[in-house]
Amino acid sequence: MEGLDIYDWSRLVFITFIISLIVISIILLVQRKRNNIVNGFAISVISIISIIVSGINLIITGYIADELNLAGDAISSYLFLVILGLSILNSFIYFKKKPRNIST
């Protein structure tokens, strides 16, 4: 398989998480208060898992690049930062749109 670099394989993981987090953002923005498709627990778990797996992927890619004497990959770092930002944004959107039950 000539032409595929180590970074191409690791970027697939990053891109998959970015697409899934964007889909969740769209769902959060269009869902109505009565029709809850996702809840806070799901948002939190998906965000934490995507951050952890992407961070591990970034670290392992760095180790592999170091062992093979390759140059670093700045794009993977930017993709990780996008995943981190989308995870924080999803949590913020959910808890901002969450109806507050004020009992007196």
Side-chain angles (χ1 to χ4, degrees):
M1 292 199 309
E2 200 170 314
L4 285 178
D5 198 13
I6 183 68
Y7 303 121
D8 294 334
W9 294 108
S10 68
R11 286 181 192 158
L12 290 175
V13 176
F14 290 121
I15 292 170
T16 302
F17 278 122
I18 289 172
I19 290 171
S20 63
L21 289 171
I22 289 173
V23 167
I24 291 171
S25 296
I26 292 170
I27 289 171
L28 285 173
L29 290 173
V30 299
Q31 83 176 358
R32 294 199 165 69
K33 292 182 181 180
R34 286 187 233 140
N35 187 9
N36 288 335
I37 299 172
V38 292
N39 58 14
F41 179 74
I43 296 297
S44 301
V45 167
I46 292 171
S47 296
I48 290 170
I49 288 174
S50 61
I51 290 171
I52 290 172
V53 171
S54 298
I56 291 171
N57 189 23
L58 184 65
I59 291 169
I60 290 173
T61 302
Y63 283 139
I64 292 172
D66 187 44
E67 289 295 322
L68 298 175
N69 291 326
L70 299 173
D73 184 31
I75 295 174
S76 295
S77 300
Y78 294 138
L79 291 175
F80 174 74
L81 291 176
V82 168
I83 290 171
L84 184 66
L86 283 172
S87 297
I88 293 170
L89 180 71
N90 285 343
S91 299
F92 181 75
I93 290 172
Y94 177 76
F95 290 112
K96 191 72 172 168
K97 288 185 76 170
K98 179 180 166 186
R100 300 180 197 272
N101 294 332
I102 301 173
S103 59
T104 56

